[in-house]
Amino acid sequence: MGAEGKDDEQSIDPRHQWILKRIGLALKLKHQDLKKVLEPECDNATAAKEFCDTTDHAVLYVISKGSQVVMQTEHPCEASTKQKKKIMYFMKVQEGGKTPKIDLNQISRQVVYGDLSTQPLETLNHYTTNVFLPMINEPSNTRDVGNVAKPSLIESAHAYFSNVLVTSGLAEGRTILPFPPIVFPAKLTSTVRDKDLLYLLESVIVKWSAQIRAAMVSEPESITLLSGGYPGPLDELAFWHSKRDNLLNLEAQLHTPRALKIRLILEQAQSSYFRSYRDLLGELRVATQEASDNYRYLEPMREVFETINQATDEDSFSKLVTEHTFMKLFHYLFIVWTHSEHYNTPVRLVVIVREVCNDLITAARENVNINDLFSCESEEAVSRLSTTLLVCGQFKAAYFSYKQKAARDNGGTGKNPQPWKFQNTTLFSRLDAFLERCHDVLDVLETVVLFNRLERIEIGGTHGSEQSAQVASIHQQFLAAYQDFHTPTNYPPSGILDVDEHRFDCTFATFRERVKQMEMHLATMMSQSLDDTKSLSSVFKLVDTYEGFIERNIIQQEWHKKQTVVLASYFADLLEVQELFRLNKDTMHSQPVYYSMPPTIAQLVWARGLLERITDPYPRLCELSKNIAQSELVSETMQLFQNLGSAVRTYIIDCYEKWSGKVGKVSMEKLKLNILKVDDGKKLSVNFDNELEKLLRDINYLQILNTYEGMDEKFIIPPHALVLYKRKDQFRTQRLKLETIVDTYNTFTSSMLDVEKPLLVSELQQFEDELMRGVNRLNWNSPDIDEFIETTMANVTALNDVLNNIAANLKSITSLLADYTNEDRFLPVQARESKTLPLEEFLKKYQDNKLHRQQALTKIGTEIHELMANSLECVNGLKAQHGLQALTSDTECWANYVRHANTIVTRAITKSVVHSLQNLKKQLSPDWLKENDGIPLIDVKLVLVAPDPVSRFVEARFLPPLLSQQGQGSLEEVVNDWVKDYVETAQYITRLDAHQGTDDGYVDDVFNSHDVIALHKEINESMQVNTQICEKFEAQFQAFHHLWASDMDK
């Protein structure tokens, strides 16, 4: 470990080691921590290298906090010096006015080092007092100085020590009086004769007087000169606190024994400086009392000052108004003005108010937050500035309120009132400048909100698309101008709310000029659009499109130019409406415009439409300029409007009164009608009279008309009509349910089969008896309508469900057999699906198909019987609900229904067999095969065979044989077997009436079908045609019979 440490030390630059050694001693670092300070490639090593090897850096700073050490060549920031960190410095000694590079051999001479104090004046004063002064006073240290130079040396040294002491005190806000380095006489009973001593003391008094006067004459205004900024009231409060403490400290110093001895010596010597010195002490007591009094009166206002100073967020800034902070402030100031002996001067009040204005401006700027003011939503930015203007305005309002109070109130002191006779500009010059700047920025932001509307503007008309594009272009131009405004290049954006940044005025003027050019362009566009617009409503819609811009002077002037034309257009529209009203008012009832409305409502709506047509634009006439409003045309227009409006309103009232006079009679008569009726065709319908329905529609429309905002007068609906209208939902519900009942009943009675009605004859009779209550007894005022509807709805639903179920079951039976028929695609055979096969192979394939058909029909037969059983179950379920006897399979009505179903099944099975036979017929037809890309079903060959095993002769035969007489397994037998198989498929479905003694299956029905018989005959004929073709083919070879019939040996 020791060897490794030694190697590490040898790898470090010796100059760096020299620096590290002194750092370790000064900062008392451990060896391990010290090694980490200059690790290779770290920032500390770089800083040390720059300090040693370059002439650019004269000082190396070492900052330590605990075990962490940082080296840098830049001066430590103020934050580092204020924290509890120890700082060392290594400084190069210049050689010939130049900063040298560090030579290891001369490093002790080239570099000086030490601690860097955070309070250099205090440290210097400590050194002068405790180090240098004892050294000067030690005789052995001045032994080699000549007698002539020694007094001068001592005097210069003491003058330096005094200056350090005074400067150190001023840095801390204290005035320290330096005492001369003299030894006072043992007794001061007699007059001092030593002129040198007296001169020295008078010199001290002169210096003291200057220091004391400087401390007394200091005023709060000096804070601005020292800080270069804008002090707040807390700064003045701190000033009076510091001044009071300083003056009290001065009095304490002047009453020390040494100071009293100096005063006594001057008094005994009758020095010319004594009187002025004594007067100065009196002035000091007065100044001390004034400072104490001012601080005593201002200290209670500290909380208010701090509230204003810390109101930097939106909530606390707004609370300045809501919590009456400004009223508290000026109330305190009023009390100080009326009760204080020293602070009740215009100068003091002006200064404190201006200081409050400074803090208020600072808080307002923080609240506005200029850094994100232009990046947030424009509405939010406007809200911030508006809040700022409101709060600052309340501040000034509070001042003026107490200014009036000061003019008439003495605050209970018994003295005459002392009004605040100072100019407002003296108090609020900076605040007013800030508010003016806020108004400018607010004007910009409100302009932004206004011009952002251009993004959503779409202009119609002949030039609409072109003008909409121009509007979009203007919007882009404005965004560019706005960008240039809030991101200036010649000063920071924060200067926008800085009243000392006068370059803002130029930027703001440029922005306004660019906006003015855009407004002129918009005014030209609006003028062109107004020229293209014909209808009055379109004109005002266009004006509304430019909402907000109309108030801008340039666009407003252009709008004023067009107002005469607009007024003339409105006058012409009034004349047109007047003529329409005159021509149609008497014929509107018989020839309504709105055919979907009742006649009376159509009259009212038509009249209201005319009235709205003339009244909607009328309020816009109030927006016309004064010159237009005072013209003769305006007078004529208003007179015509009033006369026409009065005539139309009278017409509306007359129409309504006629309607309301007959409402009661209609409602009383029509509600007494029975709720159901039967027409001549015995068809049931709901008996809700059209007049009653029309009355409800009238009332509904009137209610809707009463909801219109433009209605000057509401229609007062008669009480009995309102009672009827309140039942509209009840009537609607009852009618809908009754319509459902009636439609269901009419539907199933008209569609019910003759064999179905006997199944439910008792239930139908009970239901029809119940319906007769609605036909003969119940009317629309009957209290038991709902009970009747509920009962009949349940019964008609039950009947309809049963009838629908049994009908659906019959339909399902038909569908099952139809699907089976459609799936039979075994024949005919087409070339793209199969090929011609030998008889043995084809018969095997046929047997598979036959088995499949057998299984399918067996399954269908089972399903058919299940569906019929389900129908019987449904019918009996309904009978059980009504307490009636259930049907059985032997019941006559059910037996008739089964026969009907049996007929349907027979027809469907027969159709299936016919379909199969037709396919077989197609397969046997040469013409069909040729036309439909068919192929022969079985491969038949013409071969030579011996008639018997022992015969030496052969003959030509077809294999398989064509006809039955030609041998077993002939094609004739095969085809006849197929026909028989197709017919006998009917046996796989058990007859629905099998239990009534009939044979099972539908074979006989199918076999006796005329279609089946006809097709069987046609198939046989096709077989004969095919046989003839084959025999003809055979005849071609029989001409050469001798070739195989004769013995070639003979």
Side-chain angles (χ1 to χ4, degrees), residues 451 453-459 465-477 521-522 525 546:
F451 271 79
R453 297 177 185 173
L454 295 179
E455 189 176 10
R456 300 184 295 272
I457 287 181
E458 291 290 338
I459 300 176
S465 58
E466 177 184 350
Q467 292 184 350
S468 296
Q470 293 179 15
V471 167
S473 176
I474 293 174
H475 182 246
Q476 294 301 319
Q477 295 174 26
H521 192 179
L522 286 173
M525 290 172 52
Y546 288 92

Side-chain angles (χ1 to χ4, degrees), residues 9 71 93 177 244 250 271 287 331 355 358 429 461 586 609 651 683 691 735 785 847 917 949 952 991 1018:
E9 291 178 0
M71 290 184 178
V93 178
L177 302 177
R244 182 200 66 174
L250 278 175
S271 171
H331 183 71
E355 289 170 345
N358 292 337
S429 57
D586 296 328
Y651 176 80
K683 188 174 182 180
E691 287 293 325
R735 288 176 62 194
I785 293 181
Q847 290 300 325
L917 293 176
R952 296 179 55 192
R991 295 182 64 87
E1018 292 175 2

